[in-house]
Amino acid sequence: MAADDLADAAPTAALQPFELRAGTGSARRFSGRGPALVAFVKEDCPTCKLVMPILAALTALASRADLAAHLVGQTVAGNRQLEASFPDAESFEVLDDATLAVSYGSRIETVPTLMLATETGEPETLIGFVRDDWQAAISRWIGALELPPFDWAWSDLPEWRPGCGSLSVDPAHADRLRAEAEGSPLRARRVTVGTADDPMEFLFDQGYSDGLPVVPPTPERVLRMLDGTGRAAEDIVAVVPPNLVEATVEKVAINAVLAGCKPTYLPVVIAALEAACSDDYNAHGVMATTMGASPVLVVNGPIRHELGMNMELGALGQGNRANATIGRALRLILRNVGGARPGGTERSTLGNSGKFTQCFAEWEERHPWAPMHVERGFAREESVVTLFTMSSGPTLMVDQESRTGASLAESFGRCLDAIWHPKLHFGTDVLVVLCPEHVDTLVADGWDKAQLRDRIQAVTARPVDELKRSEDCAVGLTEAQAAGLKKSLPDGRMPKFRSTDDIHIAVAGSNAGKFSGAFHGWATGSIGSKVVSRKIETG
């Protein structure tokens, strides 16, 4: 940076009232008004050390005239080296801005920053060191206040020296200061953890965890998470069942931190929560049923690549941060905000691993068909999250032998016939996750998704009488139900699913391995949960 650049730089600093302690422990107060001299320095800044003798002499002059003169040091170690720069240590002390709150509130971006204020008007601000600017500004200030002349060997100093970055804008401190500052968007109740307590153990003890370690949601982490969305922190995203608590963007961000999300994941979590809290999805029923249902999140569109989501090898398992933490964040919100906790309103008989997380992206580029979000009415270039409700899965559908689409579709139908129970039809839906090798077999034989759905329905169709209850198996249709269905079904055969619309299809997985999967659904329609999609807003 050239001297002209320093001279032309627009000052950002502003005089603010403060109270700080000196090295002796005594408090020093500043009203925020002139006439005054306030300088900000830090111990490891060479330019600060260069100007320290000037500041020492200038503050001594101001002190004798009974003017406010304060040197604020950004050094937690007590500013010993800075104080040693003063020829007369008793005449002035460096005030310890250990928390950096005063530097942040004064909008200090570079040290040294020297502010010279008269009784009226804005202070003249000097950032870094430009010899001619310092000499002229100090002369003007002394003249305006009618102070004794300030003689200094200016010619012995270099023409200019760049300043150093203020600790208050250092990434190690900036988010904390932003969170603590007046006007912070954070409104959630602050929980204080004792200095002797382990934050991780504290979060376990308070019940904020799903049983796995969580990331402590410090104010700075929450603020960084909020940077992932353009929505205001106080905006209400949804009313979360079962306790019907309003979830603000801030509360979503807190739980996204707990889950281990990056800020860029937050828009997906927000859209997923909107979907989960819709009447169609019925999150209360999903989380409360003894069957052990849980959401499965399928992500489509450009955001899959932006977030580095896994849609290939191991897409439904562990190993990818975005997949794992986005799904986990939704469940933590339902738990921590909505109150859906095991032993409370969550009454799953066995539970399942999907209660921790289940989220993956569809490998849209690996097949020629319309991806899931396009089938559901969205544009291909839109990013969308779709929520399906699983009661179990993924259950493997193993077929390493079929070489035709018809044979493979037959295998899928036979596997899916056992969902819930072979004699229970029309009760649920299914999310089929096709692996690439199975896709290749279907595509090579000219099959599309519609043909596959139709074939699954045909393969699973059974005569109504075969699905009735019997002495050998109490599961199935009553006589009255069977009689009614015979009248409504043209051929007297009942497929597994009420409609082909209940067979949802996505593509994911490794290029090697003929193992597709199926997430068995929960009760469908108005008595259970419908599949819900939401566009992901990233602006």
Side-chain angles (χ1 to χ4, degrees), residues 14-20 28-34 36 38 40 68 70 72 95 97 101-107 115 182:
L15 284 176
Q16 299 289 329
F18 60 76
E19 179 176 336
L20 291 173
R28 298 286 188 272
R29 294 181 178 85
F30 175 54
S31 67
R33 297 188 299 273
V38 179
F40 289 83
H70 300 287
V72 180
L95 304 184
D97 188 20
V102 174
S103 296
Y104 182 86
S106 302
R107 303 199 294 273
M115 289 182 281
E182 185 176 350

Side-chain angles (χ1 to χ4, degrees), residues 280-282 285-286 289 291 293 388-391 419-420 426-429 498 502 520-531:
D280 281 344
Y281 188 76
N282 184 17
V286 170
T289 175
M291 186 178 283
F388 173 85
T389 302
M390 59 175 275
S391 60
I419 290 178
W420 283 12
F426 279 21
T428 186
D429 54 3
R498 193 178 300 273
D502 288 335
H520 299 180
W522 185 50
T524 60
S526 59
I527 65 168
S529 175
K530 298 178 182 178
V531 175

Side-chain angles (χ1 to χ4, degrees), residues 12-66:
T12 58
L15 284 176
Q16 299 289 329
F18 60 76
E19 179 176 336
L20 291 173
R21 293 196 173 275
T24 60
S26 58
R28 298 286 188 272
R29 294 181 178 85
F30 175 54
S31 67
R33 297 188 299 273
L37 174 157
V38 179
F40 289 83
V41 292
K42 67 178 182 179
E43 190 173 87
D44 60 353
C45 172
T47 306
C48 293
K49 293 179 181 178
L50 173 72
V51 301
M52 282 302 295
I54 302 174
L55 295 175
L58 196 59
T59 51
L61 176 64
S63 297
R64 288 194 295 271
D66 200 26

Side-chain angles (χ1 to χ4, degrees), residues 287-313:
M287 302 306 289
T289 175
T290 54
M291 186 178 283
S294 191
V296 178
L297 285 65
V298 183
V299 178
N300 285 95
I303 202 166
R304 299 167 300 136
H305 298 293
E306 294 168 12
L307 303 186
M309 296 189 72
N310 186 15
M311 60 200 79
E312 302 181 25
L313 190 150

Side-chain angles (χ1 to χ4, degrees), residues 416 429-432 452-454 456-457 497 499-505:
L416 298 177
D429 54 3
V430 66
L431 171 59
V432 174
L452 178 59
R453 291 183 173 105
D454 288 341
I456 289 171
Q457 287 289 74
F497 305 102
S499 164
T500 54
D501 292 339
D502 288 335
I503 304 172
H504 311 280
I505 300 174

Side-chain angles (χ1 to χ4, degrees), residues 434-513:
L434 296 176
C435 70
E437 281 205 73
H438 281 163
V439 169
D440 290 342
T441 299
L442 292 166
V443 171
D445 217 13
W447 282 61
D448 58 21
K449 286 186 179 181
Q451 290 172 287
L452 178 59
R453 291 183 173 105
D454 288 341
R455 184 58 184 165
I456 289 171
Q457 287 289 74
V459 171
T460 59
R462 298 285 180 271
V464 171
D465 287 338
E466 288 186 13
L467 301 177
K468 291 193 300 184
R469 299 175 183 178
S470 66
E471 292 183 2
D472 295 328
C473 182
V475 177
L477 302 170
T478 65
E479 287 289 348
Q481 289 171 331
L485 285 165
K486 285 180 180 180
K487 294 178 181 178
S488 62
L489 295 171
D491 59 357
R493 296 174 64 84
M494 188 176 185
K496 184 69 177 183
F497 305 102
R498 193 178 300 273
S499 164
T500 54
D501 292 339
D502 288 335
I503 304 172
H504 311 280
I505 300 174
V507 174
S510 169
N511 277 315

Side-chain angles (χ1 to χ4, degrees), residues 371-411:
M372 176 175 285
H373 70 307
V374 173
E375 285 193 297
R376 297 186 59 77
F378 295 88
R380 185 178 287 271
E381 63 274 13
E382 290 180 310
S383 292
V384 176
V385 61
T386 298
L387 265 64
F388 173 85
T389 302
M390 59 175 275
S391 60
S392 65
T395 300
L396 285 184
M397 298 190 293
V398 181
D399 185 336
Q400 298 178 284
E401 310 302 330
S402 291
R403 297 296 183 266
T404 67
S407 175
L408 190 56
E410 176 87 14
S411 290

Side-chain angles (χ1 to χ4, degrees), residues 139-404:
S139 296
R140 286 192 293 270
W141 185 68
I142 286 175
L145 297 177
E146 299 180 349
L147 297 175
F150 182 73
D151 295 323
W152 197 262
W154 293 103
S155 60
D156 294 341
L157 297 172
E159 290 186 5
W160 74 278
R161 286 289 184 272
C164 299
S166 169
L167 289 179
S168 57
V169 296
D170 188 310
H173 308 289
D175 287 323
R176 172 184 61 82
L177 293 167
R178 187 158 60 106
E180 295 173 350
E182 185 176 350
S184 165
L186 302 184
R187 296 291 181 269
R189 177 175 59 91
R190 302 290 179 96
V191 178
T192 302
V193 182
T195 55
D197 290 338
D198 183 325
M200 303 283 281
E201 294 298 331
F202 176 85
L203 291 167
F204 274 120
D205 293 342
Q206 296 300 311
Y208 298 130
S209 167
D210 51 10
L212 293 174
V214 289
V215 179
T218 59
E220 51 268 39
R221 287 192 179 114
V222 175
L223 274 177
R224 284 197 294 269
M225 187 62 65
L226 287 169
D227 288 339
T229 178
R231 295 184 62 171
E234 66 272 17
D235 281 359
I236 297 172
V237 175
V239 177
V240 187
N243 291 346
L244 301 180
V245 176
E246 292 180 344
T248 61
V249 174
E250 179 186 3
K251 289 182 180 179
V252 175
I254 290 170
N255 284 275
V257 171
L258 285 166
C261 290
K262 289 183 178 181
T264 49
Y265 306 169
L266 186 59
V268 186
V269 179
I270 289 173
L273 181 63
E274 290 174 338
C277 294
S278 65
D279 290 340
D280 281 344
Y281 188 76
N282 184 17
H284 181 23
V286 170
M287 302 306 289
T289 175
T290 54
M291 186 178 283
S294 191
V296 178
L297 285 65
V298 183
V299 178
N300 285 95
I303 202 166
R304 299 167 300 136
H305 298 293
E306 294 168 12
L307 303 186
M309 296 189 72
N310 186 15
M311 60 200 79
E312 302 181 25
L313 190 150
L316 306 188
Q318 86 287 11
N320 181 274
R321 181 175 180 179
N323 290 32
T325 61
I326 290 171
R328 189 187 187 199
L330 175 61
R331 284 154 181 76
L332 286 175
I333 296 167
L334 295 173
R335 172 193 177 90
N336 294 333
V337 180
R341 300 188 177 201
T345 58
E346 189 167 342
R347 310 300 299 182
S348 175
T349 301
L350 290 177
N352 60 64
S353 58
K355 292 285 190 180
F356 286 109
T357 182
Q358 188 55 255
C359 173
F360 67 96
E362 181 176 4
W363 195 355
E364 301 172 19
E365 298 79 6
R366 190 55 180 80
H367 63 85
W369 308 319
M372 176 175 285
H373 70 307
V374 173
E375 285 193 297
R376 297 186 59 77
F378 295 88
R380 185 178 287 271
E381 63 274 13
E382 290 180 310
S383 292
V384 176
V385 61
T386 298
L387 265 64
F388 173 85
T389 302
M390 59 175 275
S391 60
S392 65
T395 300
L396 285 184
M397 298 190 293
V398 181
D399 185 336
Q400 298 178 284
E401 310 302 330
S402 291
R403 297 296 183 266
T404 67

